């Protein structure tokens, strides 16, 4: 730990906060309370905090509903007929997309299915779907059921990328080799862009290029990437992606999801998809005629009209993101996550607690999450931490996931977490 810019010291942390240009955002969020004080919140990767503006945004829609009834579709301050259109300019810069490539709709697993209907089209020999080791269970269920939807048994078409013997993380070279090996048997690659458990951020650009080289489609579940790491979905030539908004995008429990569909696919009206009226050409939508005429944008995948109350919460959060940039958030995130890593190592040194940091050390392979295994500890640690005003996430058998979120966490938060851990583990 020589030559590190960091110090496990309160005044060092407070000084780092003073120099943080993003520190003002912290005041825009509600922190859960413990004994009249803000809790130390490290679970923004599970549920982002509530922006203080949310209530006013939802109130606006409730008022307009009360005042206008159905006329609110056109008379509301933000007319509901085109409500979803406000989101493309806000979310596109967060995921590196063109505005017409993104739309906000439904929820995450629903959207994953809708996208797989279009981009997992097994045929003949080409029927396999490749995903990362231990994906989020919902994704695994989606892959299994998509296989069945096409009449295959999951064992025949699902390929889970395994780490090397004795390793937890996946190596990019191995992923690329696997894609090449599967070759013309590979229909679709669909990785969690950042794995929810290890926090590993995969090389999305290289994976996409390798998939395309063998003629496969490539998409990502960005639940743990959206609003966390800077991605360039368009420039990396990704085919499709989806994410939820309630993790790093702070947009309410179970909040609305987003999707990306590369513009390359927009003109293809024959692409198989599940259709609904909100994906139909907006200029003729209200002629209420049969014969689906898809929008020439990601909106073609919309089924239903917008769930305005839920989306109002999303808007409140995205308007905060619009006041900064993913570059600025990323710069702070890299420093704050490195500081957390430093503090955890200092805690292990001071207490003698056996600790394994599972998440990659390389900042290019992680966002703002560190997963640590506390050897010999049980879930009791999490209860003890909560009793001291610290919220973290526990995964059996011995893993704590910590997310220092650049939008609202501080260096002082990280220092104080370390202080509590020293007391608890020592
Ligand atoms: C959080 C998460 C989900 C949750 O799915 P919902 O449909 O929003 O309930 C799914 N997949 C991944 C990778 C996740 O991280």
């Amino acid at each position: 730990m020589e030559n590190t810019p960091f110090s496990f010291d309160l005044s060092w942390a407070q000084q780092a906060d003073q120099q943080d240009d993003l520190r003002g955002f912290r005041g825009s969020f509600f922190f859960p309370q413990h004994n009249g004080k803000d809790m130390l919140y490290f679970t923004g990767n599970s549920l982002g905090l509530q922006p203080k503006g949310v209530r006013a945004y939802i109130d606006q829609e409730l008022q307009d509903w009360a005042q206008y009834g159905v006329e609110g579709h056109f008379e509301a301050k933000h007319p509901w007929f085109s409500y979803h259109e406000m989101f493309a300019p806000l979310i596109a810069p967060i995921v590196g997309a063109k505005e017409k490539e993104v739309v906000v709709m439904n929820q995450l697993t629903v959207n994953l299915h809708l996208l797989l209907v279009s981009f997992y089209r097994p045929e003949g020999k080409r029927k396999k779907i490749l995903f990362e080791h231990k994906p989020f269970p919902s994704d695994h269920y989606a892959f299994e059921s998509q296989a069945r939807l096409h009449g295959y048994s999951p064992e025949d078409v699902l390929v889970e990328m395994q780490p090397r013997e004795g390793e937890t993380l996946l190596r990019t070279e191995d992923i690329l080799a696997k894609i090449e090996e599967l070759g013309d048997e590979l229909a679709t690659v669909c990785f969690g862009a950042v794995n929810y458990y290890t926090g590993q951020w995969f090389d999305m650009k290289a994976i996409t290029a390798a998939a395309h080289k063998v003629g496969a489609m490539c998409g990502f579940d960005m639940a743990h990437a959206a609003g966390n790491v800077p991605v360039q979905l368009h420039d990396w030539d990704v085919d499709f992606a989806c994410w939820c908004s309630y993790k790093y995008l702070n947009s309410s429990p179970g909040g609305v999801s987003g999707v990306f569909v590369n513009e390359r696919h927009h003109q293809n009206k024959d692409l198989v998809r599940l259709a609904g009226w909100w994906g139909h050409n907006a200029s003729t939508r209200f002629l209420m005629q049969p014969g689906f005429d898809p929008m020439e944008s990601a909106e073609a995948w919309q089924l239903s009209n917008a769930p305005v109350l839920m989306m109002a919460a999303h808007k409140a959060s995205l308007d905060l993101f619009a006041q900064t940039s993913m570059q600025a958030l990323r710069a702070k995130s890299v420093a704050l996550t490195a500081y957390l890593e430093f503090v955890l190592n200092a805690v292990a040194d001071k207490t003698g607690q056996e600790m394994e940091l599972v998440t990659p050390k390389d900042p290019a392979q992680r966002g703002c999450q560190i997963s640590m295994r506390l050897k010999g500890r049980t879930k009791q640690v999490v209860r003890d931490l909560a009793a001291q005003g610290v919220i973290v996430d526990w995964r059996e058998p011995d893993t704590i996931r910590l997310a220092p979120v650049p939008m609202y966490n501080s260096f002082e938060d990280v220092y104080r977490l370390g202080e509590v851990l020293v007391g608890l583990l020592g």
Side-chain angles (χ1 to χ4, degrees):
M1 277 181 225
E2 278 161 41
N3 299 325
T4 159
F6 303 128
S7 172
F8 183 23
D9 173 276
L10 179 59
S11 61
W12 185 91
Q14 288 174 334
Q15 204 163 24
D17 286 331
Q18 281 306 314
Q19 288 160 8
D20 168 18
D21 294 336
L22 301 180
R23 67 183 181 281
F25 283 108
R26 186 178 172 89
S28 302
F29 291 88
F30 287 114
F31 281 74
Q33 299 293 297
H34 177 78
N35 294 339
K37 279 171 45 191
D38 287 355
M39 293 187 86
L40 295 178
Y41 195 78
F42 286 98
T43 45
N45 55 344
S46 199
L47 183 68
L49 291 177
Q50 181 185 147
K52 288 180 178 168
V54 163
R55 191 176 296 263
Y57 279 67
I58 294 178
D59 270 349
Q60 177 72 50
E61 305 313 324
L62 290 174
Q63 268 175 37
D64 288 347
W65 181 20
Q67 184 172 349
Y68 301 111
V70 71
E71 303 296 339
H73 284 292
F74 299 98
E75 302 299 329
K77 183 173 176 200
H78 306 295
W80 306 325
F81 171 75
S82 52
Y83 201 81
H84 63 278
E85 291 173 7
M86 294 191 295
F87 292 78
L90 293 168
I91 201 80
I94 295 176
V95 299
K98 293 189 178 181
E99 290 183 17
K100 66 178 172 179
E101 292 176 315
V102 287
V103 68
V104 162
M105 62 185 199
N106 310 319
Q107 286 163 293
L108 175 56
T109 307
V110 173
N111 284 337
L112 182 59
H113 273 295
L114 293 178
L115 292 169
L116 288 172
V117 161
S118 296
F119 299 108
Y120 174 57
R121 306 292 316 154
E123 217 192 314
K125 192 176 173 201
R126 192 183 285 285
K127 59 189 182 196
K128 294 196 167 148
I129 178 162
L130 177 70
F131 50 92
E132 89 266 28
H133 182 54
K134 293 194 176 163
F136 195 88
S138 199
D139 297 37
H140 203 281
Y141 306 148
F143 302 145
E144 286 169 31
S145 54
Q146 286 283 331
R148 290 206 177 89
L149 184 67
H150 290 281
Y152 300 111
S153 74
E155 306 85 78
D156 291 340
V157 296
L158 266 52
V159 184
E160 179 170 338
M161 181 71 217
Q162 299 295 333
R164 291 188 189 186
E165 187 76 30
E167 298 186 6
T168 314
L169 303 171
L170 297 174
R171 300 192 192 196
T172 304
E173 66 206 88
D174 293 352
I175 300 170
L176 304 185
K178 187 75 187 174
I179 291 171
E180 200 170 324
E181 176 198 320
L182 290 168
D184 61 3
E185 292 181 10
L186 187 59
T188 304
V189 177
C190 187
F191 270 51
V194 173
N195 179 266
Y196 82 101
Y197 176 76
T198 63
Q200 180 173 17
W201 178 22
F202 296 106
D203 188 336
M204 300 164 69
K205 186 179 176 186
I207 291 172
T208 305
H212 287 168
K213 202 164 155 219
V214 300
M217 291 286 177
C218 189
F220 293 92
D221 183 329
M222 299 219 305
H224 283 268
N228 175 18
V229 287
V231 296
Q232 295 297 334
L233 293 177
H234 179 84
D235 288 349
W236 295 345
D237 209 25
V238 169
D239 291 292
F240 66 95
C242 49
W243 52 89
C244 56
S245 67
Y246 50 81
K247 292 171 180 165
Y248 295 104
L249 296 176
N250 316 316
S251 301
S252 83
V256 73
S257 162
V259 307
F260 164 89
V261 178
N262 195 297
E263 67 177 346
R264 171 160 26 98
H265 302 294
H266 295 181
Q267 305 299 323
N268 181 2
K269 306 226 170 195
D270 298 328
L271 203 62
V272 173
R273 76 187 107 211
L274 299 183
W277 71 323
W278 233 247
H280 186 92
N281 184 345
S283 64
T284 56
R285 187 177 297 153
F286 282 85
L287 297 179
M288 310 301 253
Q289 295 297 313
F292 182 66
D293 175 19
M295 300 280 294
E296 291 182 7
S297 69
E299 288 183 29
W301 277 262
Q302 287 184 117
L303 299 180
S304 303
N305 71 103
V308 165
L309 297 183
M310 187 158 73
M311 286 171 74
H314 194 25
K315 179 87 166 50
S317 177
L318 293 181
D319 282 349
L320 289 175
F321 276 86
Q323 292 172 27
T324 176
S325 65
M326 282 309 296
Q327 286 80 347
L329 287 164
R330 173 65 175 168
K332 177 176 172 186
S333 170
V334 168
L336 195 61
T337 307
Y339 185 52
L340 174 61
E341 185 174 46
F342 170 85
V343 165
L344 294 174
N345 284 323
V347 168
D349 278 354
K350 272 190 196 268
T351 61
Q353 166 70 45
E354 204 186 325
M355 179 190 289
E356 180 197 346
L357 303 186
V358 174
T359 306
K361 291 189 181 11
D362 175 9
Q365 291 185 61
R366 71 182 184 195
C368 66
Q369 173 181 321
I370 292 190
S371 305
M372 66 169 167
R373 302 187 63 189
L374 291 180
K375 302 283 167 65
R377 297 281 170 173
T378 65
K379 199 172 177 187
Q380 186 58 36
V381 178
V382 177
R383 290 189 278 266
D384 293 343
L385 283 168
Q388 299 200 45
V390 185
I391 306 187
V392 303
D393 174 275
W394 177 262
R395 297 284 141 159
E396 294 296 342
D398 57 4
T399 302
I400 286 180
R401 298 187 307 162
L402 299 160
V405 175
M407 186 80 110
Y408 49 70
N409 280 123
S410 64
F411 289 87
E412 183 171 339
D413 285 346
V414 172
Y415 167 78
R416 291 200 182 280
L417 168 73
E419 200 180 43
V420 173
L421 283 172
V422 167
L424 215 91
L425 302 174

